[in-house]
Each structure stands twice: as C-alpha cells, then as structure tokens.
Amino acid sequence: MFLSIKRIIFRIFRSRRYKPDPDAIIEEQWSADFSKPNRGPAIIHAGTRFDIKSESSCDANLQNGSLRLALKKSNCIAWIDAPEHRYQDQVIEARILLDPMGGYAAAGLLFRMVDDSAYYSVLISNKGYFRLDVVRNNTPLPLIGWTEVPANTAAAAPPGNETKIALGVIAYGAHLIILINGAWAAEIAESSIPLGTLGFVLASYEAGPAFEAIRRSEMAPGANVPGAYAAQAFLESLSVNTRIADVEAAYHQWEDNPAIAPQARFALAETFAAMGEIAPALIQIKKMWEAPGCQRKARELLLAGRLAFQLELYGEAEEYADACLALGRESPEGREAVTEKAKILYAEKKLEALRDYAAEAVSLRNDDPILHTLLGHAYWDLADYEKAAAAYDRSFELDGENGLPARNAANVYEVLGRKAEALERYLRSGRVFLGAGNYQDLGMLTPKLLSLGKDNWEAHALAGKWAFGIEDLRLANTEFNKAEKLRKALDPAPDPDPALSFLRALLFIRKGSRRKALPLLEEAAALAPDYGLFRFRLAETRFLLNGKADDPETRSHLDAALSLLSNTDGSITNNGDSITVIGNEGWVHNFAAQIALSSGDLDAAEKHLEKAAASLGEVPAIRVNRGVYHYLRGSLEEALGILESNKAEDEEGLLANCAGNLLVRAGQFERADEYYVKALSIVPDNAEFLTNRASCLIELGYYGEADTVLTRAYAADPSPAVLELISYVAVKKGEYARAESACCTALEMDRDHLPSLLNLGWIYSSTGRWDEVRETLAALDALDLDEETLTRRAELQQKLEDGTTRLIPCAACGRSWRVPRDPPAVPPLRLLAMPPDEVPAGSCPECGKTWCIGCAKQRLDQSGRFVCPECGRTLKLINEGLKKIVADWAAGAVSEIADLNAENNHSG
C-alpha cells in the first residue's frame, strides 16, 4: 500500500514539471533530447522544449531520435518554436539533415524570437548558400543575403540531394557570428532584438518533380497533398549555452581570429557589396588581408578599390587600382582596373592626368565606352571640344544603349556651332532614353529638340512621345500633328512612324473617337505587321466599333496578336526610335475571351480566361469577363459573387459597373442602379459609368434624373454617344428643340454617327419636317448599315410615308393606292378610253367608299357612269391624289397612242 501511494505521488510531481517564468532570462547549458516520444497531455515536449504540433502547412513529430519538420506545399516557410525559455547572449549548436525531396529548400534556426513577427533567422540551402535575416513587424530585412558557403566547410551537396549541416550561432550583445561545420562563415553587428526564444525552421522555394506531379494529378495548384511533402528537415541535435562567461569566451575565440579562411571573408564582402553595405564590405576585405601570409589578389584589390571609391576615399581607391594594375593589365581584373583608375582621376578632378592617362588607356582598351566617355569629359573640361566630340561619339558607337554619350556629344557640337550634327546626336540620345522609359532625361532633352529641330518631324515626334509618356496628352497631340505635317511636306515623304501612328490612335480612343483611330491602327499594323500589340489594339478597336465577334479581319488580327505577343518585349523600334508599351499576352487572351463570350463559345472563353489569369492574376478586367462567363452559363448570382468587391479590390470601379450591366441584361434595373452608384462612388467622373447609369434610369422611366447624370457624363467626356442619349431623354420630356440641338452637335463630332442620325430623323418626323427626314434617309443610305440599322431605317421610311401619304383601298377587292395627304389640285380630266381595272374609278359622295374600275364597272348607270354598288350614287374623283393617278395614266396613254401613230405613219 505504501509503495502504491509513493508511485502515485511520483507520477503527480512528474506530470507537473517545472515551468520557467516567461519573463526570466535563462542562463544554462542545455541539450535537447529527441530520443523519447512525448507522453501525456503536455503541450510542450519535456525533453526537447519544442511545441511539437502539425499545422495546415506542415507536419512535425519526433522520428528516429530527431525532430522532424515536413512541408506539405512548396513556396512555403514553417517553424517549430521552444516558447518557454528566453535567451539573450547564447551559443547555439545544431546538427541538421536537410532533405529537399528533389527540389530547392533551406533549413536552419530562429533565435531571439519575441513572437511570430520578430526574430532572427539563419538558413542554409541545399544549393550551398546561407543567409541571415532579421524580421520585425512581420517584415524581413536581409542582414546577409544568400552567400556561398566557403568551400572548406563542405556544407553543400548536389542540388536535390540530402545536405548535412552543422550550424552554430554566437549571439553576444549586438555581435552575431555564424559558424558552419565548425568554421567561421559570417559576422555582423545588429542589436534590434536583444533576447527571445528558439525555433527550428524549414523553407521550400521549389518542389521536386515527384511532388509537383502528385499535386497536378490529385489536387488544385497550391493545395496540400496528403502523404506528399515538398521538403523535410531533421534536427538531429541541439545544444544551447547561455552562461555569460562561456558566450564571451566563444565570441572572443572568433573575433579577428587569424584562422578564419580568407575566402569566407571575401565571400561575405561580396555579399555586403551587392547589398550596398559598402563600409562593412571593405572592412571584411581589410580583415582578410591582415591574416598572416595573406597575399592581396587582383580580384580582391579591384573590389576594394570600387568600395573605397564609393566611400569617396579616392587616395585609397587609387592605391588599390594601381596595385591591381601592377599584377597585370591584361588580366580580366587588370583591364577593369584601367577603367577604375580613370574614374578615380575624374572624381579627383585631375583633368590633365586623366587626359593623358585615358588617351593612353584607350589604346589598350579601345572597346571600353566608359574610358572614351571619361576621356571626353577631360577634353570637355579642358575646352578641347573637337576631341571631346570625337570621344563621346566613339563611346556611343560602342554602347548604343546608353544615351548619355550621345547627349554629351550633342552639347559639344552645339558649342561648336554645328547645329545639324548636334540635333542628330540629340535625336539619337532621345531615342535611347525613350526606349529605356527614361522620361526624366528625355524631358530635359526635349527643349533642345524643339529648339534645334523646330522644322524636323522626328524631333516633334520624339517630343510628342515624351509628352504622351508623362500623360500630357494635349501637348502630345500638338507635337504629333506638327510632326505629321512636317513629314508629309517632305519630297519624297518618308514612311510614317508606326509607333507614332499607334499613339495618335490611342489619343483618339481616349477622346472616344474610335472611328478616327481605326485608320491609324491599320497604318501602324501595316507598317509593323510582326508587332503583336498593334494587331491586338486593331482587333479590339474593330470589335468595339462593329460588335461583330465573327468579323474575319478582327479574327485575323487577334490570331496574329496571340502568336506574336508571347514573344514581344513590349517595345517597338522604327529607325532606332523606340517606345515602351504594354506587351503582356495576358491582355490579349482576356480580349480573346471577350470575343469568345460575344460569339457564345463559352469553352474557348474559359480557356482564354485561364491563360489570362495565369499571366496577369485575377485582375479586375479578368474578373469582369469571368462574371460575364458565369452569367452566360446561367448563373447570375454566381457572376455577381465573382464581381462583388470592396474599393481596394476595384480601384477603377470595373467590377461594380459590370455587375450593373449584367443586372440590366437580366431586366433587374433597380438592383443594377445600386451597382452603378457604387461604381460612381469609386470613380465619380467616369463617362462610361455615368452613361450606363443614365441608360438604366431611362429604363426605369426616371428621365429627369437620367438627364442630370447625362449632363455630368458630357462634362466628363463629350461624345456623340452621350449626346444621342441626351437627345432621347429630351424627346421623352417633350424638349424637341434641345433634342435636335444635341443630335446636331453629335453629328458635328462624327457626321457618320448612326444613332444620332436616326434620332434626328425621328425628331424631324415628330415635328412634321418631312423634307429634313428625306435628307436624313439619304445620309443613311450613303453609309454602310448593319441589319439592325437597316431595320430602323425602314421604320423611319415607313414613318415618312405614313406622315406624308395615306392609303385609300378599294371597298370591294382590297386593291389600294397611296396618295399624298395634301395633294395639289389636278386640272379637269377628259378620258377618251377606259382605264385599266387597277385605276381608281372614284369615291361615293354619300358613303365615302372608293372603288377601282375593275369592281365599279360591274355596275353602271344608264349613261355608262360608275355608281356606288351600295348607295347607287355616281362615283366621283373627289380626292386630288386619286385624280392624279388617273391623270398620270391618261398622260401615259396619250403618249403611247402618239408613239403608235408615228410608227404607223412611218410604216405607211
């Protein structure tokens, strides 16, 4: 009995193990025990102190005497922490086995963890590189970027294979030292996080082929795959020593230790230099050279000279350059040092020395554009302008992608008074700046272009492209027009610039004048048929103008764009003149999806949308087409769910506007108006959204509110389409004069605007102005009309006929005659023969019915006159229109008789 109670008490005390004060800073020497599995309900494993639990992205467990962490998906990072013990100064030693599972991964340690948003992280990858980061407020800041593990540590394995790592960290105050396989790898001073807990971390950057194959076959991209891992790592051992005396001793052991491998310090220096940490990089090189027996190498001297130059330590930089040159000018480093010394002399303003040195150096490195530029600087500052111009020209000849030498040459030629040569160099420079999207330097150049090239079409074209690039569209339009006028005045006129034609088209599109843009896009595509963007915008414009998804020409340009844009870099060059433009094939696939949706090919639309999303992501324009796709599939609510968004997601209001459009198509105008209001709350002056809302309000019969909205739309973007709607609303309100004015203004903008022409015709018909209706019909007949417009034209024609004529039927047989409503008087008739049956016989003065001769001749009075079959009254040609029909027949009959008599007389 006593033994049983003793066992129970022992078990109770063992289950209530000691938990340290979370605010305490622990000093201890401790090693983790990964050999015993976790028992009981404790969350923190007693032997390892780690919170071992699996998450949605990873699995964690003890396995074969190690702590295992495995990632369930790629492009992911996860860790396990030991949250109960906080350390400040510490020496950490860990042995890690990294298994990337055929992919690219890294494993390591987290230390001084405050929480999940603040800690230090050191990682080593299976490709043989390590890095150190500090994370604060969930924002990582690289302290040491990916740096190759020194060869003497042998930490790397062939890519994709298992990597064994012995990783050490010494954290002593602000000093951090990284040890890999017992050798020094890096050091840095950083004190933003003074203390915290430990963690074991694993990152997957790219999964192996086996994992990707399983994921593609079983799950959606990015999902977890049961039983498959992107990478795994095993923490085989871990020890922590936080006794301050031991930590201090470990730090001093590696502080300026002459046994540190020089290649390790130089690798760290190169990383610091690449990160822009100039002073720390130079310090590492100097420490490397302090090692006993270390010989300075050309590669080290070259980097040290560049670092000193950036720190403006010109004397020191020159000493390093000279030392590098002394090791051999013909080596790769020596050839670069030749140029570095010239840079130093220029920075020191030693102009004569630079001139003499660079003049000699270019004989050794005549292919170095920088040397020629520096020589040009020396000649320029010494007022030797002819030689300066020649040096700058040679520099640009060697490096045509750098516009600065050409600009420098232009400045020199301008000083020499050689303005034509100066302008040519300014043009060359400007083309390079434009091609690189360097609008700042191009803008500084533009006044020179317009001053020296006021009569040069290329100068104005370049100035216009700069203005377009900075969104000064008014100036762009002005310069483009000047350029075209000057080009066409030349004899012979040079070919148009396709980029200029394209940009002029875009200006018209922005103004809402797509019809004027169309010939310019056709010109650009004809001049540069292999440039996909031009073909794409041409196809898009044709579709938006005619709405015909099956138009063969539109399809041809779209197919060409799809095949060409996948290989474009987004720039168009014409005679060296480049302009950067959008060149992503994702937009073309999105437009192809729009075409497919319009033609009802939903399967093709779905494929194009997937390709567009893969290229661009789920941007609003793609979500718009996805919404239309689901609407056409029969699910309005699913479409609205896709389009539902907040202001941050829908910065341009496209999603809300599309939702309104779909609801209008579904006849739900009240709900549609709510979405249009939402779109306009994002972009209040968007003319398209305002016009769409006005159309919706018209459907609801809210003409007054629609009128107000259309006034805003016209103020935002005056266009024939808006004016046509204003005209429609004005008619509904009975304001015919205003309606007519709106249509006339629209036709002044675009004389071929069919909706305005038709509206104007109906306005004229409503006010009885039939001559103007006839003029409108003639104007329509001069245009290429689609089937819908032809139908509306026929309706207007019918309205004209109904307004100016009336139909008089025969009371018996239904034969009818169309006569003017107000026919002129016809002189009295005297018939010498019986007209044919289809001619009107007359109308009854009593019953008012009219009869044709064919029906009336069945009943004649005694004198042979036609009488009404119903009333018996004599028929009379009361209506002047009917009388005119008889008169026309009589005139024709007389003419025929005369012709017949003439023929008989001739025969006789």
Side-chain angles (χ1 to χ4, degrees):
M1 182 67 179
F2 175 76
L3 290 176
S4 298
I5 293 173
K6 186 175 180 180
R7 289 192 187 100
I8 291 171
I9 293 172
F10 175 75
R11 287 173 182 170
I12 290 173
F13 275 96
R14 188 175 66 178
S15 66
R16 295 178 181 176
R17 65 182 183 80
Y18 168 71
K19 293 184 179 180
D21 181 356
D23 294 325
I25 299 173
I26 308 298
E27 286 195 27
E28 63 176 355
Q29 184 172 6
W30 167 80
S31 297
D33 182 2
F34 299 126
S35 62
K36 298 178 181 178
N38 195 24
R39 294 179 179 176
I43 296 175
I44 308 300
H45 187 274
T48 70
R49 297 182 180 176
F50 281 92
D51 183 5
I52 305 175
K53 59 183 179 182
S54 297
E55 303 281 355
S56 61
S57 60
C58 66
D59 282 341
N61 61 288
L62 293 175
Q63 181 175 310
N64 299 327
S66 300
L67 174 57
R68 173 178 174 266
L69 180 59
L71 296 179
K72 300 177 184 178
K73 52 185 172 183
S74 60
N75 298 312
C76 173
I77 186 169
W79 60 79
I80 315 169
D81 60 338
E84 291 187 350
H85 291 72
R86 295 195 310 158
Y87 303 122
Q88 184 171 352
D89 296 329
Q90 56 197 297
V91 177
I92 312 169
E93 295 179 351
R95 298 191 67 84
I96 300 170
L97 175 64
L98 170 62
D99 182 3
M101 315 287 280
Y104 173 29
L109 300 172
L110 307 183
F111 60 98
R112 290 185 176 175
M113 288 185 67
V114 178
D115 52 32
D116 287 351
S117 66
Y119 51 84
Y120 291 103
S121 166
V122 58
L123 291 168
I124 303 180
S125 77
N126 63 299
K127 293 187 177 182
Y129 290 80
F130 74 94
R131 68 178 296 129
L132 175 67
D133 297 87
V134 60
V135 176
R136 295 192 295 268
N137 297 322
N138 275 324
T139 303
L141 174 67
L143 298 177
I144 302 173
W146 285 116
T147 303
E148 189 171 5
V149 174
N152 63 313
T153 63
N161 292 353
E162 291 184 350
T163 303
K164 288 195 172 184
I165 306 161
L167 177 61
V169 177
I170 301 172
Y172 178 55
H175 303 287
L176 305 178
I177 295 177
I178 308 300
L179 306 174
I180 298 178
N181 290 347
W184 183 98
E187 65 184 7
I188 195 170
E190 215 287 329
S191 59
S192 60
I193 303 178
L195 69 156
T197 59
L198 290 175
F200 174 43
V201 62
L202 173 62
S204 169
Y205 304 109
E206 182 180 339
F211 177 83
E212 289 295 340
I214 295 174
R215 188 183 69 174
R216 282 193 298 269
S217 63
E218 295 187 10
M219 308 289 287
N224 296 338
V225 183
Y229 299 102
Q232 62 180 350
F234 299 86
L235 182 59
E236 296 179 334
S237 67
L238 174 69
S239 66
V240 183
N241 188 343
T242 61
R243 296 172 180 169
I244 189 61
D246 295 342
V247 177
E248 183 178 5
Y251 169 72
H252 288 303
Q253 176 187 352
W254 292 105
E255 180 190 21
D256 301 329
N257 189 328
I260 293 174
Q263 62 267 36
R265 286 203 184 273
F266 190 67
L268 182 60
E270 288 184 310
T271 296
F272 282 148
M275 296 172 63
E277 298 292 335
I278 308 304
L282 187 56
I283 288 171
Q284 289 300 320
I285 292 176
K286 289 181 177 181
K287 284 186 176 182
M288 174 184 66
W289 288 339
E290 290 171 0
C294 181
Q295 298 293 321
R296 299 193 300 182
K297 298 176 182 177
R299 182 182 173 193
E300 301 161 359
L301 288 163
L302 181 62
L303 178 58
R306 288 172 172 165
L307 296 170
F309 180 82
Q310 292 182 63
L311 294 170
E312 299 184 2
L313 303 173
Y314 299 128
E316 191 173 326
E318 188 172 357
E319 186 270 321
Y320 295 143
D322 287 337
C324 184
L325 290 170
L327 294 176
R329 291 188 172 216
E330 296 305 319
S331 67
E333 294 82 5
R335 291 174 62 82
E336 291 187 45
V338 169
T339 304
E340 293 302 318
K341 180 166 182 179
K343 292 180 184 177
I344 296 165
L345 292 173
Y346 181 69
E348 293 179 304
K349 300 299 180 183
K350 297 179 179 179
L351 300 177
E352 290 84 358
L354 172 61
R355 176 195 60 197
D356 298 340
Y357 172 81
E360 179 186 358
V362 294
S363 64
L364 298 174
R365 295 200 64 189
N366 193 41
D367 59 347
D368 185 349
I370 297 176
L371 264 181
H372 286 281
T373 294
L374 292 169
L375 180 58
H377 291 346
Y379 284 135
W380 168 263
D381 288 336
L382 294 171
D384 194 344
Y385 298 127
E386 292 285 353
K387 291 183 178 179
Y392 288 138
D393 279 342
R394 176 60 178 161
S395 177
F396 185 69
E397 181 185 338
L398 292 169
D399 184 7
E401 295 182 359
N402 182 359
L404 294 176
R407 187 182 69 182
N408 292 338
N411 290 335
V412 179
Y413 283 116
E414 193 172 3
V415 169
L416 291 170
R418 293 155 64 175
K419 298 189 181 301
E421 291 165 284
L423 176 60
E424 179 57 33
R425 270 64 172 186
Y426 280 131
L427 287 169
R428 292 177 186 175
S429 177
R431 290 169 186 142
V432 174
F433 291 148
L434 181 64
N438 184 354
Y439 292 103
Q440 181 176 357
D441 281 338
L442 180 56
M444 294 173 64
L445 208 66
T446 299
K448 292 286 189 182
L449 289 170
L450 296 179
S451 173
L452 295 175
K454 61 181 179 180
D455 297 323
N456 184 287
W457 78 274
E458 292 179 283
H460 287 284
L462 200 50
K465 291 174 183 179
W466 165 76
F468 189 95
I470 64 169
E471 295 287 320
D472 189 343
L473 304 185
R474 186 185 298 273
L475 178 59
N477 187 56
T478 300
E479 294 301 328
F480 288 160
N481 289 337
K482 288 180 180 178
E484 277 299 280
K485 184 177 180 180
L486 289 168
R487 182 186 67 82
K488 291 177 179 178
L490 296 175
D491 187 18
D495 289 337
D497 172 2
L500 181 59
S501 301
F502 178 75
L503 293 179
R504 290 178 64 209
L506 293 188
L507 288 178
F508 279 122
I509 289 172
R510 291 197 180 196
K511 294 177 183 176
S513 302
R514 287 190 180 272
R515 289 192 182 277
K516 293 182 180 179
L518 183 60
L520 291 169
L521 290 171
E522 289 172 339
E523 181 177 77
L527 290 166
D530 294 332
Y531 190 65
L533 179 65
F534 294 172
R535 307 289 289 275
F536 159 51
R537 293 309 294 262
L538 176 55
E540 179 188 50
T541 299
R542 288 185 61 85
F543 173 69
L544 294 175
L545 282 174
N546 61 32
K548 296 178 180 177
D550 58 350
D551 175 38
E553 200 167 336
T554 299
R555 289 279 186 174
S556 173
H557 290 300
L558 175 58
D559 291 342
L562 286 168
S563 64
L564 291 169
L565 274 183
S566 59
N567 299 318
T568 188
D569 61 356
S571 64
I572 174 65
T573 301
N574 180 56
N575 296 326
D577 196 355
S578 303
I579 182 159
T580 300
V581 285
I582 298 172
N584 194 315
E585 67 271 18
W587 294 112
V588 188
H589 281 294
N590 193 50
F591 172 61
Q594 188 177 357
I595 291 282
L597 291 170
S598 298
S599 61
D601 190 348
L602 301 186
D603 292 337
E606 184 179 22
K607 292 176 182 177
H608 283 298
L609 284 172
E610 291 303 323
K611 292 179 179 178
S615 176
L616 301 172
E618 290 294 338
V619 297
I622 292 176
R623 288 174 64 183
V624 162
N625 281 338
R626 283 199 190 280
V628 175
Y629 168 81
H630 284 283
Y631 173 79
L632 294 176
R633 284 290 190 194
S635 178
L636 173 61
E637 294 307 320
E638 188 172 355
L640 294 177
I642 291 170
L643 298 170
E644 194 61 43
S645 62
N646 54 40
K647 190 173 182 179
E649 294 177 281
D650 192 17
E651 294 180 350
E652 298 179 6
L654 297 176
L655 301 175
N657 179 66
C658 180
N661 292 344
L662 296 182
L663 287 165
V664 164
R665 292 168 70 173
Q668 300 183 31
F669 301 111
E670 293 283 359
R671 287 182 71 190
D673 188 49
E674 294 175 4
Y675 279 99
Y676 288 138
V677 170
K678 179 180 178 181
L680 288 167
S681 71
I682 300 170
V683 191
D685 296 325
N686 185 291
E688 179 186 352
F689 300 169
L690 288 165
T691 304
N692 287 345
R693 185 176 183 228
S695 299
C696 181
L697 292 170
I698 290 170
E699 293 290 342
L700 291 167
Y702 301 153
Y703 300 118
E705 190 173 357
D707 207 356
T708 302
V709 173
L710 287 169
T711 301
R712 288 175 55 197
Y714 185 75
D717 183 15
S719 69
V722 175
L723 286 165
E724 185 262 331
L725 282 176
I726 290 174
S727 171
Y728 180 86
V729 170
V731 167
K732 289 293 185 180
K733 295 168 69 176
E735 300 172 356
Y736 291 103
R738 180 166 170 254
E740 180 183 347
S741 176
C743 284
C744 290
T745 303
L747 292 170
E748 288 174 5
M749 293 181 178
D750 182 0
R751 65 180 181 180
D752 298 336
H753 190 247
L754 294 175
S756 294
L757 266 175
L758 285 165
N759 264 11
L760 188 60
W762 284 104
I763 293 167
Y764 288 147
S765 70
S766 298
T767 53
R769 296 158 64 182
W770 304 112
D771 289 340
E772 285 89 341
V773 173
R774 292 186 184 92
E775 292 173 2
T776 302
L777 288 169
L780 287 168
D781 291 340
L783 302 176
D784 182 19
L785 307 182
D786 56 25
E787 290 185 10
E788 180 182 355
T789 308
L790 283 171
T791 301
R792 295 189 63 193
R793 188 244 178 250
E795 292 170 353
L796 182 60
Q797 178 72 49
Q798 187 63 49
K799 179 70 173 177
L800 172 64
E801 292 182 359
D802 292 342
T804 57
T805 65
R806 66 190 184 96
L807 203 63
I808 300 177
C810 172
C813 67
R815 182 181 286 128
S816 61
W817 307 272
R818 184 166 291 280
V819 299
R821 287 189 177 274
D822 298 309
V826 178
L829 298 174
R830 184 179 181 185
L831 301 179
L832 302 177
M834 176 68 74
D837 289 353
E838 65 269 17
V839 173
S843 303
C844 176
E846 184 170 329
C847 68
K849 294 181 180 179
T850 303
W851 309 83
C852 68
I853 287 178
C855 296
K857 69 183 182 181
Q858 304 300 323
R859 186 171 180 182
L860 303 173
D861 64 10
Q862 294 180 352
S863 60
R865 290 181 295 184
F866 299 119
V867 296
C868 176
E870 296 181 3
C871 303
R873 298 286 301 274
T874 302
L875 300 180
K876 297 183 179 181
L877 288 171
I878 301 170
N879 185 278
E880 295 293 330
L882 294 177
K883 190 185 294 185
K884 179 71 165 53
I885 294 173
V886 177
D888 289 344
W889 171 82
V894 169
S895 176
E896 288 179 11
I897 292 171
D899 291 342
L900 182 59
N901 289 336
E903 184 179 344
N904 290 336
N905 291 335
H906 179 73
S907 300

